[in-house]
Amino acid sequence: MADLTVLILTKNEEKNLRKCVESFRGLARRFVVVDSYSTDQTVSLAKELGADVYENPWVNYATQFNWGLANTDITTKWTMRFDADEELTPELAKELEERLSGVEEDVVGVECKRRIHFLHRWIRHGGIYPTWVLRIFRTGKAYCEKTVMDEHIMVDEGKVIRFDNDFIDNNTKDIAWWIDKHNWYSDREVVDYISKKSQLDEGSVLKPDFWGNQAERKRWIKYMVYYKTPFMRRAHWYFLYRYFIKLGFLDGKEGLIYHFLQGYWYRFLVDAKLYEYQNTDVGLKDSGALKS
């Protein structure tokens, strides 16, 4: 068993939580669930699965995650950020068991590859895979950047290494839920876009850097390229880039649905809400917690 606490944020995740926790197969010493007042059986299921459950009102992901780090008495050497709709592959579970205890003392964080499944299909193309994310860190040595959207785990000092294997983002809820969630995301994205410049100036968030790691390079492309291309056209171009140039069409029918909804519909919706904010008297929306 690894000296590891897995920290999971939940809201109505009874359909996903069991496969998430059971994918660790006894690997983690402790599970902490920070719930934002679920109305389904999430809390009772989390307790049944052996997790320590805390409840805290939702503000945004970063605030909730940092609250969990500060208020749940994590004493293990390592902490892992994990979402309820994610699961370890057997290969990553084995790698964690074999490698984590032997990591050098100057290493403070570990990146893993996220593999997205949509409609039961692994989305391999369109620039989606591999996405490297920092998910494991020495307890007390990292925090979630204080941003409204697209938040990352950050470390102030120390080395970050990569493990070889994947975890899976595999939400089992239906497309109607996915659309509702991304409509909710789009409100947050508008707020994030408006506020990001001051956050970058303050140095409180991940810096855009073309020559940096994958997360820094993606943020540079988003804010220095994508948001500087013509308004209302960029969603069209982004979808064509993903679907044809980055070979998203190889992901089949499921890929067409995913790349169109996530790479075109969602990005166009964000632009539509930006236009509404900039040209009408509709103000920025506090999207609050996801309703379902």
Side-chain angles (χ1 to χ4, degrees):
M1 180 178 289
D3 194 16
L4 173 71
T5 294
V6 182
L7 177 55
I8 306 169
L9 307 187
T10 59
K11 174 68 182 288
N12 294 341
E13 289 289 359
E14 66 178 4
K15 291 184 178 180
N16 290 310
L17 187 60
R18 182 178 295 278
K19 68 179 178 62
C20 169
V21 173
E22 291 183 348
S23 72
F24 282 82
R25 299 172 181 83
L27 173 66
R29 190 172 301 280
R30 183 178 180 222
F31 289 89
V32 169
V33 167
V34 179
D35 187 74
S36 52
Y37 299 100
S38 292
T39 56
D40 64 1
Q41 300 303 309
T42 296
V43 169
S44 59
L45 176 59
K47 292 177 179 178
E48 175 192 327
L49 293 169
D52 295 329
V53 179
Y54 300 78
E55 291 189 306
N56 193 57
W58 180 269
V59 177
N60 55 50
Y61 193 102
T63 300
Q64 192 80 329
F65 187 80
N66 288 329
W67 185 94
L69 292 179
N71 292 280
T72 61
D73 192 29
I74 298 174
T75 59
T76 52
K77 181 181 294 185
W78 295 95
T79 301
M80 185 172 191
R81 166 189 170 177
F82 221 55
D83 293 340
D85 59 1
E86 295 171 343
E87 56 196 274
L88 298 182
T89 59
E91 294 79 11
L92 181 56
K94 182 179 180 182
E95 186 174 18
L96 287 172
E97 186 173 23
E98 293 177 348
R99 293 185 60 186
L100 193 59
S101 62
V103 168
E104 295 85 351
E105 288 300 320
D106 61 340
V107 172
V108 296
V110 179
E111 291 184 341
C112 304
K113 287 180 290 184
R114 181 172 60 207
R115 180 194 301 182
I116 292 177
H117 283 206
F118 185 78
L119 295 177
H120 308 295
R121 181 172 184 139
W122 177 7
I123 305 299
R124 296 170 180 255
H125 304 94
I128 300 300
Y129 180 85
T131 296
W132 290 94
V133 286
L134 197 163
R135 288 299 187 89
I136 306 167
F137 52 90
R138 291 190 186 272
T139 300
K141 298 294 185 182
Y143 59 93
C144 189
E145 59 173 333
K146 297 177 183 178
T147 187
V148 178
M149 188 71 182
D150 189 30
E151 61 286 311
H152 293 81
I153 299 296
M154 298 181 67
V155 295
D156 289 327
E157 58 183 4
K159 186 189 301 183
V160 174
I161 63 171
R162 287 178 170 179
F163 279 2
D164 297 326
N165 292 291
D166 302 0
F167 67 93
I168 301 172
D169 180 331
N170 182 26
N171 200 300
T172 58
K173 298 177 182 178
D174 60 22
I175 288 179
W177 176 89
W178 190 98
I179 289 172
D180 287 343
K181 181 179 180 180
H182 281 73
N183 184 38
W184 176 68
Y185 275 163
S186 67
D187 288 337
R188 296 172 60 200
E189 184 94 36
V190 172
V191 174
D192 184 69
Y193 173 75
I194 299 300
S195 63
K196 188 69 76 181
K197 186 177 186 304
S198 63
Q199 289 180 302
L200 290 171
D201 291 342
E202 293 167 0
S204 60
V205 296
L206 189 76
K207 297 289 188 184
D209 183 357
F210 181 80
W211 304 108
N213 60 35
Q214 188 186 61
E216 292 168 332
R217 184 164 56 254
K218 283 187 172 184
R219 185 160 291 178
W220 185 91
I221 293 170
K222 182 176 182 179
Y223 285 93
M224 304 302 166
V225 179
Y226 178 81
Y227 274 126
K228 293 184 182 298
T229 57
F231 190 65
M232 292 293 192
R233 297 181 187 177
R234 53 198 179 208
H236 301 259
W237 296 342
Y238 179 54
F239 169 71
L240 294 174
Y241 169 76
R242 271 177 56 165
Y243 196 67
F244 293 104
I245 296 177
K246 298 297 288 184
L247 306 181
F249 64 88
L250 294 177
D251 289 319
K253 294 177 182 177
E254 298 86 353
L256 173 59
I257 297 169
Y258 179 79
H259 293 300
F260 179 81
L261 289 177
Q262 205 272 339
Y264 179 78
W265 172 81
Y266 171 69
R267 298 310 324 175
F268 194 88
L269 182 61
V270 171
D271 273 1
K273 290 185 177 182
L274 274 171
Y275 181 86
E276 178 184 49
Y277 167 73
Q278 293 168 351
N279 293 277
T280 73
D281 58 358
V282 174
L284 294 176
K285 297 178 182 178
D286 180 1
S287 56
L290 186 63
K291 297 301 186 292
S292 60

